[in-house]
Amino acid sequence: MKFYMELIDTHCHLYDQALAEDIENVIQRAQAAGVSRFYLPAIDRQTETSMLELEKRYPDICFAMQGLHPCSVKHDVDEALQHIEQSLAGRQFAAIGETGLDFYWDRTFEKEQYRAFHQQIEWGLSMDLPIVIHSRDSIEQTIAVVRDHQKGNLRGIFHCFNDDENAAKKIVELGFFLGIGGTVTYKKSKVPEALKYIPLENIVLETDAPYLPPVPFRGKRNESSYLIYVAEKLAEIKGIDVEEVAATTTANAIKIFHRTTINTDA
């Protein structure tokens, strides 16, 4: 397979320990596959150092976000949010995220998840940063929160979109993009049917590496070089050339992040 297209991985945890031992090779393979930029979503304070160190190591291609993952929202949410606010004041980040709502594992801190989500959206609005949203088992609730804040200036991505046509249309109507990753290649996924009705201009590509690898790598560690498999599946769904998918989704990613792709020293 010959790669000559530019792709952007809009969501990848390349700083994760699962990739640490051979991160140089991971990035080299991705670049050989046409991936030119990597956007690194934050999880929490415990993983922040490794994320920022990777960005510093690859300042021209890796761009860190800042935020609090909903699964990391606990009883100390106020302290965590205070740290994020101070961090955002100290330097520029590519986006706020990943933030959102996750009701899959545990709803003990549901109230705190909502509070953290609302706060991070407000930071995105005040700082003119895109919001990268996590919404597991919470798509309708997450859409409702975004709708409450959308006055025309809020922008961003619903990361790892894995829902139906109805949810996809609501997200697009709110002016947000769908982040499409490896799950679109899964046999029982409802995403391919949903994407038939969504313009390519509303879609970006992601891997969520090292998680959710596409077919034929299910059960293995995911990495950014596999983004081409997502692009090819999307081309199949749309009945177009993969080159068109690459060009349009790359342009979309640049549009989302274009104000915030210059790193500053942390």
Side-chain angles (χ1 to χ4, degrees), residues 241-256:
D241 293 335
V242 69
E243 290 84 0
E244 183 177 350
V245 169
T248 303
T249 57
T250 294
N252 294 342
I254 291 170
K255 179 181 178 181
I256 295 167

PDB file of all heavy atoms in Angstrom, residues 241-256:
ATOM      1  N   ASP A 241     -13.181   8.347  -3.332  1.00  0.00           N
ATOM      2  CA  ASP A 241     -11.777   7.968  -3.204  1.00  0.00           C
ATOM      3  C   ASP A 241     -11.259   8.314  -1.813  1.00  0.00           C
ATOM      4  O   ASP A 241     -11.659   9.325  -1.217  1.00  0.00           O
ATOM      5  CB  ASP A 241     -10.929   8.707  -4.241  1.00  0.00           C
ATOM      6  CG  ASP A 241     -11.239   8.266  -5.664  1.00  0.00           C
ATOM      7  OD1 ASP A 241     -11.712   7.127  -5.829  1.00  0.00           O
ATOM      8  OD2 ASP A 241     -11.019   9.071  -6.589  1.00  0.00           O
ATOM      9  N   VAL A 242     -10.343   7.506  -1.323  1.00  0.00           N
ATOM     10  CA  VAL A 242      -9.769   7.760  -0.011  1.00  0.00           C
ATOM     11  C   VAL A 242      -9.000   9.074  -0.007  1.00  0.00           C
ATOM     12  O   VAL A 242      -8.898   9.753   1.030  1.00  0.00           O
ATOM     13  CB  VAL A 242      -8.875   6.581   0.430  1.00  0.00           C
ATOM     14  CG1 VAL A 242      -7.611   6.494  -0.420  1.00  0.00           C
ATOM     15  CG2 VAL A 242      -8.525   6.696   1.916  1.00  0.00           C
ATOM     16  N   GLU A 243      -8.480   9.481  -1.156  1.00  0.00           N
ATOM     17  CA  GLU A 243      -7.780  10.766  -1.242  1.00  0.00           C
ATOM     18  C   GLU A 243      -8.708  11.933  -0.902  1.00  0.00           C
ATOM     19  O   GLU A 243      -8.295  12.908  -0.261  1.00  0.00           O
ATOM     20  CB  GLU A 243      -7.188  10.968  -2.636  1.00  0.00           C
ATOM     21  CG  GLU A 243      -6.011  10.070  -2.959  1.00  0.00           C
ATOM     22  CD  GLU A 243      -6.437   8.696  -3.460  1.00  0.00           C
ATOM     23  OE1 GLU A 243      -7.657   8.417  -3.557  1.00  0.00           O
ATOM     24  OE2 GLU A 243      -5.540   7.880  -3.774  1.00  0.00           O
ATOM     25  N   GLU A 244      -9.963  11.832  -1.313  1.00  0.00           N
ATOM     26  CA  GLU A 244     -10.934  12.878  -0.993  1.00  0.00           C
ATOM     27  C   GLU A 244     -11.243  12.900   0.500  1.00  0.00           C
ATOM     28  O   GLU A 244     -11.373  13.970   1.104  1.00  0.00           O
ATOM     29  CB  GLU A 244     -12.217  12.676  -1.798  1.00  0.00           C
ATOM     30  CG  GLU A 244     -13.246  13.774  -1.566  1.00  0.00           C
ATOM     31  CD  GLU A 244     -14.499  13.622  -2.414  1.00  0.00           C
ATOM     32  OE1 GLU A 244     -14.501  12.773  -3.331  1.00  0.00           O
ATOM     33  OE2 GLU A 244     -15.482  14.346  -2.137  1.00  0.00           O
ATOM     34  N   VAL A 245     -11.356  11.726   1.084  1.00  0.00           N
ATOM     35  CA  VAL A 245     -11.572  11.635   2.532  1.00  0.00           C
ATOM     36  C   VAL A 245     -10.408  12.291   3.268  1.00  0.00           C
ATOM     37  O   VAL A 245     -10.608  13.084   4.194  1.00  0.00           O
ATOM     38  CB  VAL A 245     -11.727  10.167   2.973  1.00  0.00           C
ATOM     39  CG1 VAL A 245     -11.675  10.058   4.497  1.00  0.00           C
ATOM     40  CG2 VAL A 245     -13.028   9.589   2.448  1.00  0.00           C
ATOM     41  N   ALA A 246      -9.194  11.961   2.860  1.00  0.00           N
ATOM     42  CA  ALA A 246      -8.013  12.515   3.516  1.00  0.00           C
ATOM     43  C   ALA A 246      -7.974  14.034   3.386  1.00  0.00           C
ATOM     44  O   ALA A 246      -7.760  14.749   4.379  1.00  0.00           O
ATOM     45  CB  ALA A 246      -6.747  11.904   2.912  1.00  0.00           C
ATOM     46  N   ALA A 247      -8.199  14.536   2.197  1.00  0.00           N
ATOM     47  CA  ALA A 247      -8.116  15.980   1.970  1.00  0.00           C
ATOM     48  C   ALA A 247      -9.164  16.739   2.767  1.00  0.00           C
ATOM     49  O   ALA A 247      -8.869  17.770   3.395  1.00  0.00           O
ATOM     50  CB  ALA A 247      -8.264  16.274   0.473  1.00  0.00           C
ATOM     51  N   THR A 248     -10.393  16.241   2.759  1.00  0.00           N
ATOM     52  CA  THR A 248     -11.477  16.958   3.425  1.00  0.00           C
ATOM     53  C   THR A 248     -11.365  16.878   4.939  1.00  0.00           C
ATOM     54  O   THR A 248     -11.514  17.886   5.643  1.00  0.00           O
ATOM     55  CB  THR A 248     -12.846  16.421   2.974  1.00  0.00           C
ATOM     56  OG1 THR A 248     -12.946  16.539   1.551  1.00  0.00           O
ATOM     57  CG2 THR A 248     -13.985  17.206   3.618  1.00  0.00           C
ATOM     58  N   THR A 249     -11.088  15.691   5.478  1.00  0.00           N
ATOM     59  CA  THR A 249     -10.996  15.569   6.939  1.00  0.00           C
ATOM     60  C   THR A 249      -9.779  16.304   7.483  1.00  0.00           C
ATOM     61  O   THR A 249      -9.831  16.852   8.599  1.00  0.00           O
ATOM     62  CB  THR A 249     -10.957  14.095   7.378  1.00  0.00           C
ATOM     63  OG1 THR A 249      -9.854  13.430   6.753  1.00  0.00           O
ATOM     64  CG2 THR A 249     -12.262  13.394   7.018  1.00  0.00           C
ATOM     65  N   THR A 250      -8.708  16.352   6.722  1.00  0.00           N
ATOM     66  CA  THR A 250      -7.534  17.117   7.136  1.00  0.00           C
ATOM     67  C   THR A 250      -7.850  18.602   7.161  1.00  0.00           C
ATOM     68  O   THR A 250      -7.495  19.310   8.112  1.00  0.00           O
ATOM     69  CB  THR A 250      -6.347  16.826   6.204  1.00  0.00           C
ATOM     70  OG1 THR A 250      -5.950  15.460   6.370  1.00  0.00           O
ATOM     71  CG2 THR A 250      -5.157  17.725   6.523  1.00  0.00           C
ATOM     72  N   ALA A 251      -8.538  19.081   6.141  1.00  0.00           N
ATOM     73  CA  ALA A 251      -8.951  20.487   6.112  1.00  0.00           C
ATOM     74  C   ALA A 251      -9.880  20.807   7.283  1.00  0.00           C
ATOM     75  O   ALA A 251      -9.793  21.882   7.885  1.00  0.00           O
ATOM     76  CB  ALA A 251      -9.639  20.806   4.789  1.00  0.00           C
ATOM     77  N   ASN A 252     -10.758  19.863   7.610  1.00  0.00           N
ATOM     78  CA  ASN A 252     -11.664  20.062   8.740  1.00  0.00           C
ATOM     79  C   ASN A 252     -10.891  20.193  10.048  1.00  0.00           C
ATOM     80  O   ASN A 252     -11.192  21.055  10.887  1.00  0.00           O
ATOM     81  CB  ASN A 252     -12.639  18.888   8.848  1.00  0.00           C
ATOM     82  CG  ASN A 252     -13.600  18.800   7.680  1.00  0.00           C
ATOM     83  OD1 ASN A 252     -13.781  19.767   6.940  1.00  0.00           O
ATOM     84  ND2 ASN A 252     -14.217  17.645   7.518  1.00  0.00           N
ATOM     85  N   ALA A 253      -9.904  19.322  10.234  1.00  0.00           N
ATOM     86  CA  ALA A 253      -9.101  19.362  11.459  1.00  0.00           C
ATOM     87  C   ALA A 253      -8.346  20.680  11.577  1.00  0.00           C
ATOM     88  O   ALA A 253      -8.282  21.281  12.661  1.00  0.00           O
ATOM     89  CB  ALA A 253      -8.129  18.183  11.488  1.00  0.00           C
ATOM     90  N   ILE A 254      -7.790  21.130  10.480  1.00  0.00           N
ATOM     91  CA  ILE A 254      -7.070  22.403  10.485  1.00  0.00           C
ATOM     92  C   ILE A 254      -8.023  23.543  10.820  1.00  0.00           C
ATOM     93  O   ILE A 254      -7.683  24.467  11.567  1.00  0.00           O
ATOM     94  CB  ILE A 254      -6.387  22.628   9.124  1.00  0.00           C
ATOM     95  CG1 ILE A 254      -5.245  21.616   8.946  1.00  0.00           C
ATOM     96  CG2 ILE A 254      -5.859  24.056   9.002  1.00  0.00           C
ATOM     97  CD1 ILE A 254      -4.658  21.591   7.555  1.00  0.00           C
ATOM     98  N   LYS A 255      -9.234  23.476  10.285  1.00  0.00           N
ATOM     99  CA  LYS A 255     -10.244  24.496  10.574  1.00  0.00           C
ATOM    100  C   LYS A 255     -10.565  24.551  12.063  1.00  0.00           C
ATOM    101  O   LYS A 255     -10.688  25.623  12.641  1.00  0.00           O
ATOM    102  CB  LYS A 255     -11.512  24.195   9.778  1.00  0.00           C
ATOM    103  CG  LYS A 255     -12.650  25.178  10.007  1.00  0.00           C
ATOM    104  CD  LYS A 255     -13.875  24.784   9.196  1.00  0.00           C
ATOM    105  CE  LYS A 255     -15.039  25.731   9.449  1.00  0.00           C
ATOM    106  NZ  LYS A 255     -16.250  25.324   8.680  1.00  0.00           N
ATOM    107  N   ILE A 256     -10.681  23.394  12.692  1.00  0.00           N
ATOM    108  CA  ILE A 256     -11.009  23.340  14.119  1.00  0.00           C
ATOM    109  C   ILE A 256      -9.874  23.884  14.970  1.00  0.00           C
ATOM    110  O   ILE A 256     -10.080  24.680  15.889  1.00  0.00           O
ATOM    111  CB  ILE A 256     -11.316  21.889  14.543  1.00  0.00           C
ATOM    112  CG1 ILE A 256     -12.585  21.388  13.850  1.00  0.00           C
ATOM    113  CG2 ILE A 256     -11.466  21.789  16.070  1.00  0.00           C
ATOM    114  CD1 ILE A 256     -12.777  19.889  13.965  1.00  0.00           C
TER     115      ILE A 256
END
